[in-house]
């Protein structure tokens, strides 16, 4: 049976490091507060003024994923780009990625599913490949949050959490019957909670999309009901991981590595404990990058591979939860 494998993985992090101490100079916060509540020590901010846009950093990660896969841009049949911080309101960053890769004419689709965007993208790629429509798909998760955060005390509850970065994978058709491949994907959303973590403007709900009044009201900045999101996250993560295992007839002790979306170290630890997993089986790098939303899972995959934590034949579970609310998992026999 035709399956999809992840043939290449790459990441790109902007060079500029912003530590918690740097944030202390911009708003009433402290390294201790951020570290204790989230585990974050520093994050990266893109140099947007000099061209380090969402599509650009996505393309840099994509180039590395292509290198690992041993493929050229022209081998790619389709682009899926997950982001909540596209370069422009439209067109999507997937179209703009084509400029950076000089890869014109193939289909490009943006996915706006926030923290869960990458897993939604991977699931979509998997289905296109299994259906025989494409052979090699680029799935990119990239975010430039730093352009859209309120870096004052008013916005501190959200601003300290997010960072910029990009990750990408090449998903390819795999015909061998060796058990390798994406085993299943599980996608969920519950729009009743849409306004618990959101950016209200720009959007067609207002005429015009943005006005002086909207700017003054702060509706252009992300708002989050932090405690509420936290409570849902620690339930949904284990639930969707167990759902994937059940679908594959696997047990939690057979999982070699869980790669959760990096939202908060406390969430990651709660998930690890609820699943009864040892610490080393749940990947974490939030201390270095903060929450990079759609980029966090492919960045983490790329680092886990480099650290030798993912080997051929391993059972890997990706899981995410975020705005929408949306939550999702993918189970992969690497
Ligand atoms: O990736 C998408 C999914 N997102 C998440 O999963 C995030 C989920 N939520 C969280 O991770 C946590 O709720 C936060 C890290 C965002 C906040 O932690 P918390 O323990 O829930 O804190 P809190 O919001 O209840 O705030 C506690 C206090 C408040 O002060 P008072 O009311 O107790 O006086 C806040 O005003 O901390 C204050 N505070 C801050 N203080 C210093 C909020 N933000 C900051 C800050 N620095 N940056």
């Amino acid at each position: 049976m035709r399956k999809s494998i992840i043939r290449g993985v790459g990441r790109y992090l902007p060079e500029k490091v912003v530590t918690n101490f740097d944030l202390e100079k911009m708003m009433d916060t402290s390294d201790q507060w951020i570290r204790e509540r989230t585990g974050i020590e520093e994050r990266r901010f893109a140099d947007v003024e000099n061209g380090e846009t969402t599509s650009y950093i996505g393309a840099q990660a994509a180039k590395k994923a292509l290198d690992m896969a041993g493929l050229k841009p022209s081998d790619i049949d389709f682009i899926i780009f997950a982001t909540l911080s596209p370069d422009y309101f439209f067109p999507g960053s997937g179209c703009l990625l084509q400029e950076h890769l000089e890869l014109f004419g193939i289909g490009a689709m943006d996915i706006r599913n926030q923290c869960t965007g990458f897993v939604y993208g991977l699931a979509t790629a998997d289905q296109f490949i299994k259906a025989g429509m494409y052979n090699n798909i680029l799935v990119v998760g990239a975010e430039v949050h730093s352009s859209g955060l309120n870096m004052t005390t008013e916005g501190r509850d959200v601003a300290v959490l997010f960072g910029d970065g990009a990750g990408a994978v090449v998903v390819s058709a795999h015909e061998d019957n060796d058990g390798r491949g994406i085993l299943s994907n599980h996608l969920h959303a519950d729009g009743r909670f849409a306004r618990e973590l959101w950016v209200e403007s720009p959007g067609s709900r207002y005429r015009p999309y943005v006005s002086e009044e909207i700017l003054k009201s702060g509706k252009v900045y992300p708002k989050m009901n932090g405690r509420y999101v936290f409570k849902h996250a620690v339930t949904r993560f284990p639930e969707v991981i167990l759902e994937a295992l059940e679908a594959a007839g696997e047990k939690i002790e057979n999982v070699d590595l869980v790669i959760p979306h990096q939202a908060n170290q406390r969430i990651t630890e709660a998930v690890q404990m609820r699943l009864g997993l040892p610490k080393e089986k749940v990947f974490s790098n939030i201390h270095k990058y903060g929450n990079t939303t759609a980029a966090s899972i492919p960045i983490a995959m790329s680092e886990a591979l480099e650290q030798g934590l993912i080997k051929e034949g391993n059972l890997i579970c990706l899981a995410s939860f975020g705005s929408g609310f949306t939550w999702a998992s993918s189970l992969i026999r690497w």
Side-chain angles (χ1 to χ4, degrees), residues 4-5 92 106 137 154 164 182 192 207 216-217 225 230 248 272 287 289-290 311:
S4 321
I5 53 162
I106 61 166
I137 301 180
E154 212 184 327
D164 304 341
I182 297 175
R192 281 175 297 183
R207 196 169 279 160
K216 275 198 206 120
S217 72
N225 184 350
F230 192 101
Q272 174 226 321
H287 58 290
Y289 309 130
K311 295 182 201 72

Side-chain angles (χ1 to χ4, degrees), residues 11 68 256-257 259 280-281 283 299-316 334:
R11 67 180 187 278
M68 181 181 155
D256 294 290
L257 191 66
I259 302 184
E280 58 278 11
K281 280 200 174 182
F283 191 82
I299 292 173
M301 276 166 95
S302 159
E303 292 199 338
L305 268 169
E306 225 165 72
Q307 292 166 23
L309 300 173
I310 303 178
K311 295 182 201 72
E312 198 170 311
N314 278 176
L315 192 60
I316 308 295
W334 200 272

Side-chain angles (χ1 to χ4, degrees), residues 81-305:
F81 199 116
T83 185
L84 66 67
S85 52
D87 303 34
Y88 307 117
F89 195 73
F90 71 83
S93 293
C95 294
L96 303 174
L97 180 94
Q98 292 193 339
E99 289 185 332
H100 302 297
L101 296 181
E102 295 189 18
L103 171 63
F104 304 107
I106 61 166
M109 175 166 92
D110 268 39
I111 292 197
R112 294 187 65 173
N113 272 55
Q114 304 73 249
C115 302
T116 315
F118 179 78
V119 182
Y120 267 73
L122 189 65
T124 307
D126 182 33
Q127 296 309 311
F128 275 140
I129 284 174
K130 281 186 181 140
M133 188 158 169
Y134 299 121
N135 290 319
N136 296 304
I137 301 180
L138 200 52
V139 183
V140 180
E143 304 286 359
V144 173
H145 283 300
S146 56
S147 303
L149 298 170
N150 179 355
M151 302 301 287
T152 69
T153 298
E154 212 184 327
R156 67 180 181 177
D157 59 326
V158 173
V160 302
L161 304 175
F162 292 94
D164 304 341
V169 298
V170 176
V171 187
S172 296
H174 183 69
E175 308 276 359
D176 292 354
N177 206 8
D178 56 4
R180 294 183 65 209
I182 297 175
L183 305 180
S184 66
N185 304 290
H186 306 271
L187 309 180
H188 297 279
D190 191 333
R192 281 175 297 183
F193 307 109
R195 291 167 189 81
E196 302 298 338
L197 174 48
W198 67 325
V199 179
E200 213 176 326
S201 168
S204 57
R205 169 69 181 77
Y206 295 101
R207 196 169 279 160
Y209 289 170
V210 192
S211 62
E212 200 67 40
E213 194 191 327
I214 287 174
L215 284 174
K216 275 198 206 120
S217 72
K219 285 181 178 146
V220 293
Y221 295 122
K223 301 280 179 321
M224 174 167 72
N225 184 350
R227 294 213 161 180
Y228 199 72
V229 176
F230 192 101
K231 266 201 256 169
H232 280 255
V234 295
T235 311
R236 294 304 192 189
F237 268 108
E239 195 180 282
V240 81
I241 291 169
L242 293 175
E243 183 185 352
L245 291 171
E246 198 184 319
E250 289 285 356
K251 293 202 173 89
I252 187 72
E253 51 270 30
N254 296 336
V255 175
D256 294 290
L257 191 66
V258 172
I259 302 184
H261 161 56
Q262 307 288 303
N264 182 325
Q265 185 57 25
R266 281 163 54 216
I267 295 177
T268 298
E269 283 167 13
V271 172
Q272 174 226 321
M273 284 191 284
R274 282 189 186 199
L275 292 173
L277 283 169
K279 206 166 178 257
E280 58 278 11
K281 280 200 174 182
V282 184
F283 191 82
S284 170
N285 61 3
I286 194 166
H287 58 290
K288 294 192 288 185
Y289 309 130
N291 180 343
T292 57
T293 311
S296 89
I297 290 180
I299 292 173
M301 276 166 95
S302 159
E303 292 199 338
L305 268 169

